[in-house]
Amino acid sequence: MYYNNVGVSELEIPLEKSLVIYISQCTNNCLNCHTPYMKEKYGDLLNKYFREIYLVYKNYITCVCFMGEGLNNQKTKEEFKKYCDIIHNDHKLTALYSGRDCLIEDWMEIFDYVKIGSYKEKYGPLTKKTTNQRLYKKINNQYKDITYLFWR
Ligand code: SF4
């Protein structure tokens, strides 16, 4: 799995300070994709740098948000699981931004937050009430739609 950028943000997950890791090789085909470079095999191997990156930020964050699913195959799912175990071991939260129009899949239950839905220009981003995208938070092992927190 390749990543192309990292940063700290309070925008992606409401009420959390997240280390955001941008995952390359997005397999979605959103019309008017706003970050086409995310579809390329671009950046460095996350497996090689994850611990180093995480150590730099871990005392300043409450959550790690993976922006994109990469190739979304068995190997990437296992890799996400490995990172989530490390993060949860430190009592920090995990988030996945999937750009697919899907339901929450079994393998995604390693994440405390899951965003699903493709970017559709006519419905707008998560910050618009018209958005087709949804952010869920796992509460007592059930995912609750908290998209409304973006509209305050
Ligand atoms: S999820 Fe859609 S908008 Fe985001 S990088 Fe992939 S194709 Fe582009």
Side-chain angles (χ1 to χ4, degrees), residues 26 28-30 33-36 38-39 99 119:
C26 172
N28 299 328
N29 278 311
C30 304
C33 168
H34 45 77
T35 48
M38 293 277 282
K39 296 163 65 103
Y119 173 65

Side-chain angles (χ1 to χ4, degrees), residues 2 5-6 17 44 57 73 84 86 108 113 121 150:
Y2 286 79
N5 202 0
V6 301
K17 187 182 256 194
D44 290 309
Y57 290 99
N73 57 23
C84 287
I86 294 169
M108 294 176 177
Y113 294 93
E121 202 170 18
F150 286 103

Side-chain angles (χ1 to χ4, degrees), residues 7-41:
V8 174
S9 170
E10 296 184 35
L11 298 177
E12 275 71 13
I13 306 296
L15 311 177
E16 305 287 354
K17 187 182 256 194
S18 300
L19 165 60
V20 184
I21 302 177
Y22 295 84
I23 307 297
S24 304
Q25 293 179 291
C26 172
T27 59
N28 299 328
N29 278 311
C30 304
L31 192 66
N32 300 325
C33 168
H34 45 77
T35 48
Y37 63 89
M38 293 277 282
K39 296 163 65 103
E40 306 297 323
K41 188 177 180 179

